[in-house]
Amino acid sequence: RKEVEQDPGPFNVPEGATVAFNCTYSNSASQSFFWYRQDCRKEPKLLMSVYSSGNEDGRFTAQLNRASQYISLLIRDSKLSDSATYLCVVRTRSNDYKLSFGAGTTVTVRA
Amino acid sequence: GAVVSQHPSWVICKSGTSVKIECRSLDFQATTMFWYRQFPKQSLMLMATSNEGSKATYEQGVEKDKFLINHASLTLSTLTVTSAHPEDSSFYICSASPLAGGLWETQYFGPGTRLLVL
């Protein structure tokens, strides 16, 4: 079983729509969680960290469900510029800085 | 945010050639840098953890004699793909964490190097 699993999509949504997707992780001892964004043929860039209480950054809302071991990302009022692959990233052991990546969920926002 | 550079951004080489990729943290010091590889439509796979002043730690299945890593200073790590073959063609990305580190400390990624071995 993969350490981090994501629905690859693609999620094709019109501008202004809300889109949400999850990722599941297998290691219950995982301690920190992130969403990264990766544009085509580019490096990943941090979108937001995901805290236990959930957190919001503008149009982006992230939630963590430890009991069910999943993380979600919700994008409101989608923009064309939100089209990208969103990577779910999990740190499974403290103090060693290793990150485990999901394969990504592709979102395409159309005009 | 923090800046990490990689050089070169593109490499096309013949089979059997060795290729050296540099990763630099430009505005912070990093005792630890990471090297990843990403094949099309797949997730980033950690290859090795590069530690300044000591030997790199390789992930299972990664040949340390084929992928030579040197972390000579707090701002520079190099990955050398020795005797590259077509199956080594991939997107190689490095990342670095600032010295302070921490559980929630993020990694900053370089722009990646696309390697094509003919």
Side-chain angles (χ1 to χ4, degrees), chain A residues 4-26:
Chain A
V4 182
E5 299 209 52
Q6 294 183 249
D7 180 346
F11 288 77
N12 295 305
V13 299
E15 263 189 298
T18 295
V19 59
F21 42 89
N22 295 339
C23 121
T24 58
Y25 59 95
S26 60

Side-chain angles (χ1 to χ4, degrees), chain A residues 37-45 83-87 103 106, chain B residues 6 8-12 38-42 44 89-93 109-116:
Chain A
R37 170 193 171 128
Q38 186 174 26
D39 293 295
C40 188
R41 304 172 78 83
K42 298 284 189 180
E43 78 277 21
K45 293 186 177 179
S83 297
T85 296
Y86 291 85
L87 306 177
T106 299
Chain B
Q6 254 182 269
S9 54
W10 269 99
V11 180
I12 301 175
Q38 186 178 33
F39 293 105
K41 297 191 183 300
Q42 295 186 23
L44 273 74
S89 299
S90 188
F91 188 43
Y92 292 86
I93 310 176
F109 287 84
T113 297
R114 292 204 176 273
L115 172 62
L116 176 61

Side-chain angles (χ1 to χ4, degrees), chain A residues 54-97:
Chain A
N55 46 301
E56 190 174 307
D57 183 1
R59 297 179 294 106
F60 297 85
T61 301
Q63 295 284 344
L64 168 64
N65 185 318
R66 284 193 182 272
S68 301
Q69 293 182 209
Y70 76 83
I71 308 142
S72 64
L73 181 66
L74 182 145
I75 308 173
R76 286 188 304 279
D77 188 23
S78 300
K79 311 290 185 190
L80 294 176
S81 57
D82 295 333
S83 297
T85 296
Y86 291 85
L87 306 177
C88 177
V89 183
V90 174
R91 179 169 281 141
T92 58
R93 284 172 289 171
S94 62
N95 300 320
D96 68 356
Y97 309 113

Side-chain angles (χ1 to χ4, degrees), chain A residues 31-34 36 38 41-44 46 49-51 87 91 94-99 101-103, chain B residues 10 34 36 38 41-44 46 49 59 91 93 97 100-107 109-111 114:
Chain A
Q31 295 180 282
S32 45
F33 310 90
F34 309 88
Y36 276 73
Q38 186 174 26
R41 304 172 78 83
K42 298 284 189 180
E43 78 277 21
L46 179 67
S49 303
V50 186
Y51 303 116
L87 306 177
R91 179 169 281 141
S94 62
N95 300 320
D96 68 356
Y97 309 113
K98 289 187 182 182
L99 300 176
F101 287 78
Chain B
W10 269 99
F34 303 86
Y36 296 85
Q38 186 178 33
K41 297 191 183 300
Q42 295 186 23
S43 58
L44 273 74
L46 179 64
T49 303
E59 295 300 300
F91 188 43
I93 310 176
S97 288
L103 189 59
W104 287 98
E105 182 59 71
T106 189
Q107 291 181 16
F109 287 84
R114 292 204 176 273

